Amino acid sequence: MNQRDDAEFTPWPESEAARYRRAGIWRGIALAEAVHATAVRTPYAPAVSYRGRTLTHIELYRRAAELATGFSNLGLASGDRVVLQLANDDLFVPALLGLLRLGVVPVLALPSHRHAEITAYCRMTSARAYIAQLGESRAHVGETAQRVVDACPELQHIVMCPAAPDDAGPPYVSLSSLVGGPVDFPAVESGATGLLLLSGGSTGTPKLIPRTHDDYLYSIHASIEVCDFTHETVYLAVLPMGHNFTLSSPGILGTLVAGGHVVVSPSPAPSVAWPLIEEHEVTVTALVPSLLAMWLRTSEADTRERLRSLRTLQVGGARLDPDTARQVFDTLGCQLQQVYGMAEGLVCYTRTDDSIETICQTQGRPMSPHDELLVVDDLGSPVPPGHVGELLTRGPYTIRGYYRAAAHNAEAFSDQGYYRTGDLVRLTDSGHVVVVGRSKDQINRGGEKIAAPEIERHLCEHTSVEAAALVAMPDDVLGERACAYVVSTDPRLSLPALRGFLRERGLADHKLPDDLRLLKALPLTGVGKVDKRALQQLNVTGERP
Ligand code: AMP
Ligand code: DBH
C-alpha cells in the first residue's frame, strides 16, 4: 500500500483546532463520558426501550460498563477497531457505549451489509473483532459471519448477538456472555477517532469516515439545540441505528445526551412502529422519504389521533418531494423537519419557525454558525447568489479526510480543506439549501446510497460482461432505482442471473440492479468516459426483477 494512503486521520489545521477548543465548540469530553453524565443527572429516567423492556439511564450505564469489561477481557483495547453490525435491538446501544467507553473504535456497518462489505471493512481497518447479529434461523452463525472468518484470518473474535450457537467454538463468542465488574479504564482522549462511519461513496471501494469524539459530540450538541431535544424527548429509532442520521441527528446519542428516552423499533413498518408511538408516547422520529410515502399510504381516518404524541417527523437522506412534504402536516398531524446531512459532517435542518413553504421546499440550513458553505461551478469558482453549483463545506464537525484514503482525499477535498459533497444545490436568500441534483457517481435508492463504480467493478468480473454502467432511473416509490447497462457476449444474460451473480459475491441486497438493459456499446463522452447522462435519457423500460 502507498505510504500516504495509510493516514487514518487528517487533522484540522492547528489554528482551527485551537479556535474550536478555545471557543468550547470542542469540549474535550469523550462520547461515552457525555452519555454517562446523563446517568448521573437522571439515573432513574427511562433510557432505552425494546420489546417491552426498559433500561433506565443508570442501568444503561452499568450494562455498557459490563460490556466494556467483557470486551477488555477479550483483549480489546483503546485504539483497536471493531466492526459493529447489529440490528435495531436492545444490545445495540449498550454495545456501542461499551466500545466507546474503552476507546475501541466501532466501524458502524448496516444490517443489510453482507460478506463483501464486511470483509472490506475488516481488512481496511485491520479490525480485531466483528460483532454480528445471529442469523434469522438462530441455529447457525450465518453465511456472512462464516465467510468473513474465512476471508479475514487476522480477525480474533466474532462476537455473536445475542449469543453464539452452542456448538460454535472460537473465534465465536456470545455478546450476552461478556460480563465483568466495573473497572476504571483510562480516560479516552477526546481528540482521537471515536467512530468510523460509512460513506455512501462514489468510487470502486467503500470509504470510511473517521469522526473524533470532539467533533461528533459537537454535532450532537448542536443538533440537540436546533431540534430542541430535552429530557422529555421520546425518540423512536426506526432507521438502522448505525446510520449517522439515526445515531446523531440528534438521534439516539442526542436523545441520551439530552436525558431523553430512546424507543427501538425493530422494523419501520407502520404495523410495528405506530403501536410503539402510541405505547411510549413518542415525540419525534426520523424517516427517509420512501418510508414516509409508505406511512402516508397506510394512514387512515384515526392515524392523527393514534400518532397524537408525535410532535416532529424528521425526513432526510434523499430528496423529499414538496407535495409529499405538505401531506405530513394534515395526514399525520405533526411538524415536518427536513434534514440534509452526511456522515462526513455537515447537517442542515429546517427550523420550527420556518414558513411551511420553506419547510416543504428546502432541505434546511446549516445547524452551526461555524459551518462554511461554498457553491461552485465546474471550474471551482463560486456561482452567483441563487445559482446552482456543487456544494463544498468545512467546519468543526466536517472531516478533512477519509480513513486510509490519501489518494482519494486529494480529489474529495479542496486545497482549503473543503469537503466536496458531490451534491448540486442552490442557496436561497435566507441561507436555506435546496438540493437539486448530484454530480457524484452514486445512486440514492430510497436513502440507501450505491456507489456506481463499486457495482460496475463487480459486474465486469462476470465472464460474459464486457462493459457495464450503473445509472439512476426515476422510481415512484424509491425516488431512484439502479439500472445496469451492460455489453455482454451472451445475448440471453438476464437480470435474475446477474443479480444472483452479485448476491453470490456477497453484496448487500439494495446494491443489486433493479433493471438490466443490454447494449451493443456504451455511449462515450468527448473525453472517452461512459456518458451516463445519455444512458439516463435512453427512453427504455428495461427488465425488472
Ligand atoms: P453519506 O455521504 O453516505 O452520508 O450520504 C449523504 C448524502 O445523502 C448527501 O451528500 C446527499 O447526497 C444525500 N442526502 C442526505 N440528505 C438529503 C436530503 N434531505 N435531500 C437530498 N439528498 C440528501
Ligand atoms: O443521508 C445521510 O447520510 C444523512 C441524512 C440526514 C445524515 O448523515 C444525517 C442526516 O446526519
Side-chain angles (χ1 to χ4, degrees), residues 319-329 336 338 356-357 359-363:
R319 185 179 178 277
L320 175 61
D321 138 74
D323 290 336
T324 311
R326 277 186 204 99
Q327 292 175 43
V328 170
F329 298 87
L336 168 69
Q338 290 214 43
I356 300 245
E357 279 316 292
I359 292 175
C360 293
Q361 298 200 16
T362 81
Q363 280 61 62

Side-chain angles (χ1 to χ4, degrees), residues 199-200 316-319 339-344 363 423 440 444 449:
S199 157
R319 185 179 178 277
V339 189
Y340 163 56
M342 51 205 74
E344 287 82 355
Q363 280 61 62
D423 292 323
K440 56 191 164 190
N444 190 332
K449 283 76 176 190

Side-chain angles (χ1 to χ4, degrees), residues 25-49:
I25 296 170
W26 291 351
R27 299 173 180 226
I29 297 174
L31 287 162
E33 228 184 294
V35 176
H36 293 165
T38 315
V40 177
R41 284 202 318 274
T42 55
Y44 306 112
V48 182
S49 294

Side-chain angles (χ1 to χ4, degrees), residues 49-113:
S49 294
Y50 175 74
R51 291 201 199 273
R53 273 182 302 161
T54 297
L55 290 179
T56 62
H57 281 270
I58 190 70
E59 286 166 341
L60 173 61
Y61 172 82
R62 292 203 185 107
R63 189 74 189 102
E66 276 175 8
L67 284 173
T69 306
F71 290 134
S72 167
N73 291 342
L74 278 183
L76 299 176
S78 187
D80 286 343
R81 275 83 52 197
V82 165
V83 175
L84 180 67
Q85 188 193 30
L86 294 182
N88 282 15
D89 79 1
D90 55 343
L91 279 170
F92 183 101
V93 179
L96 176 69
L97 292 176
L99 294 169
L100 291 173
R101 176 68 193 85
L102 262 187
V104 171
V105 180
V107 182
L108 286 146
L110 298 177
S112 54
H113 289 139

